[in-house]
Amino acid sequence: MNENLFASFAAPSMMGLPIVVLIVMFPSILFPTPSRLINNRLISIQQWLIQLTSKQLLAIHNQKGRTWALMLMSLILFIGSTNLLGLLPHSFTPTTQLSMNLGMAIPLWAGTVITGFRYKTKASLAHFLPQGTPLPLIPMLVVIETISLFIQPMALAVRLTANITAGHLLIHLIGGATLALINISATTAFITFIILILLTILEFAVALIQAYVFTLLVSLYLHDNT
Amino acid sequence: MAGPETDAQFHFTGIKKYFNSYILTGRMNCVLATYGGIALMILYFKLRSKKTPAMKATLTWTSSVKFRCLEKLMSTHHAILNLYNKL
């Protein structure tokens, strides 16, 4: 177990040079560009998955919303692949860094809001006041809705960071506990190992779910504004 | 998001025609009025004078002509005293 539990979340460097950029760019290697009409198995499976996801994500959008198809699909592929690669032992997960997730969430959210204000100014402003609000509550609700709008990108980023970080921390802790218990009690160590296996399966699911949730929320914000 | 706005079903008169929480225009105007009110409050608190009436009275007195004449008289008096002491 690491002497410092958070050592694995530090930005990695090799011979004094930061390699986080290489790590962020690495998942793109796993998605080769299709160059033929009928491709190899890897690309065919990836294309099938992308088609399935894009159909589901973009079904609610109108013409304007569908111009964001490439952005949304790139987002879900990037976050999903980064999260899954982070489950490899001793690897660095970029999505555990709040700075990275804020860097994704804020521009995307701002893009949707600016699009809404630009093309549907009246509806975007009216959105701050729910229909049917009693007169005395109007100022308070407008303030609350404004605050909830500005919290959206923060919630997006913090949700992803917290989920992935918490999962990795738990794996570290339970893995360390399993190792420590081997010499003390083999039975307890075995039970802890089973828990570790189940947790790892859960983390695989969480990695994909968090990617989907992030993209879905961005898609919903876009739908509200187009 | 809610369904399409059915503004036609609402018939308001007077100020409620422009400020209500049912039709799109009414909601927009309420939101803008709230933001305008908040902006005015901020402007008011920023621009209002931070000096108390006592401070204002003191500053008025110290900037007055009478005070300046007194000040000059006192400094002349001190200069004469210093000259006398030297002699």
Side-chain angles (χ1 to χ4, degrees):
Chain A
M1 192 170 155
N2 293 326
E3 64 283 355
N4 177 8
L5 200 59
F6 294 93
S8 59
F9 299 113
S13 61
M14 194 156 64
M15 295 188 290
L17 293 167
I19 53 167
V20 65
V21 175
L22 288 171
I23 294 171
V24 167
M25 283 165 56
F26 179 72
S28 60
I29 297 172
L30 305 172
F31 297 97
T33 312
S35 55
R36 294 188 170 88
L37 186 64
I38 297 169
N39 293 286
N40 60 31
R41 273 171 284 204
L42 175 68
I43 296 175
S44 299
I45 291 170
Q46 285 173 356
Q47 276 183 328
W48 172 75
L49 272 169
I50 289 167
Q51 234 179 351
L52 185 73
T53 320
S54 58
K55 257 191 206 168
Q56 217 249 321
L57 263 177
L58 298 166
I60 55 166
H61 287 289
N62 54 20
Q63 189 72 16
K64 203 173 227 31
R66 284 177 191 174
T67 56
W68 281 57
L70 183 61
M71 184 73 240
L72 293 173
M73 289 319 301
S74 310
L75 188 68
I76 194 170
L77 284 175
F78 173 70
I79 299 175
S81 57
T82 309
N83 288 349
L84 286 172
L85 283 171
L87 289 170
L88 292 168
H90 299 287
S91 65
F92 172 71
T93 320
T95 44
T96 54
Q97 308 297 308
L98 186 63
S99 54
M100 161 114 181
N101 296 334
L102 279 172
M104 287 193 295
I106 290 176
L108 287 168
W109 165 84
T112 60
V113 167
I114 290 169
T115 306
F117 273 100
R118 194 178 160 195
Y119 294 109
K120 286 164 73 180
T121 317
K122 212 185 207 180
S124 297
L125 279 169
H127 217 64
F128 286 106
L129 182 63
Q131 202 177 20
T133 310
L135 187 67
L137 292 176
I138 287 174
M140 191 180 74
L141 263 170
V142 169
V143 172
I144 288 171
E145 287 288 327
T146 311
I147 293 169
S148 76
L149 178 77
F150 284 99
I151 281 199
Q152 281 172 354
M154 305 296 147
L156 262 181
V158 170
R159 184 185 300 110
L160 182 57
T161 310
N163 270 287
I164 304 301
T165 310
H168 286 193
L169 267 176
L170 267 173
I171 289 175
H172 271 275
L173 284 167
I174 293 178
T178 310
L179 269 175
L181 284 168
I182 280 174
N183 295 326
I184 300 166
S185 162
T187 322
T188 320
F190 182 70
I191 294 167
T192 321
F193 182 68
I194 299 294
I195 295 170
L196 181 64
I197 300 283
L198 293 171
L199 185 65
T200 310
I201 295 167
L202 176 69
E203 281 309 307
F204 271 93
V206 165
L208 294 169
I209 288 166
Q210 286 307 313
Y212 177 67
V213 164
F214 193 103
T215 314
L216 184 69
L217 284 169
V218 171
S219 163
L220 282 173
Y221 299 154
L222 179 69
H223 179 64
D224 283 346
N225 287 293
T226 50
Chain B
M1 196 175 151
E5 298 280 340
T6 49
D7 289 359
Q9 70 185 84
F10 297 106
H11 301 285
F12 295 108
T13 51
I15 197 164
K16 278 203 166 204
K17 194 177 173 187
Y18 301 104
F19 292 94
N20 62 73
S21 61
Y22 291 94
I23 61 174
L24 214 62
T25 319
R27 283 158 68 193
M28 181 186 76
N29 290 337
C30 286
V31 168
L32 291 171
T34 309
Y35 288 154
I38 293 169
L40 280 170
M41 270 169 53
I42 293 170
L43 217 65
Y44 167 73
F45 283 108
K46 266 198 173 300
L47 292 175
R48 76 170 180 170
S49 175
K50 288 202 171 82
K51 297 176 194 144
T52 61
M55 270 177 77
K56 271 189 192 159
T58 317
L59 282 166
T60 321
W61 160 245
T62 52
S63 61
S64 68
V65 174
K66 217 174 181 177
F67 177 76
R68 283 205 207 108
C69 292
L70 254 173
E71 219 180 23
K72 208 161 188 177
L73 197 65
M74 291 301 292
S75 61
T76 319
H77 174 68
H78 282 300
I80 294 169
L81 266 175
N82 286 337
L83 203 64
Y84 178 72
N85 287 332
K86 277 184 188 167
L87 290 171

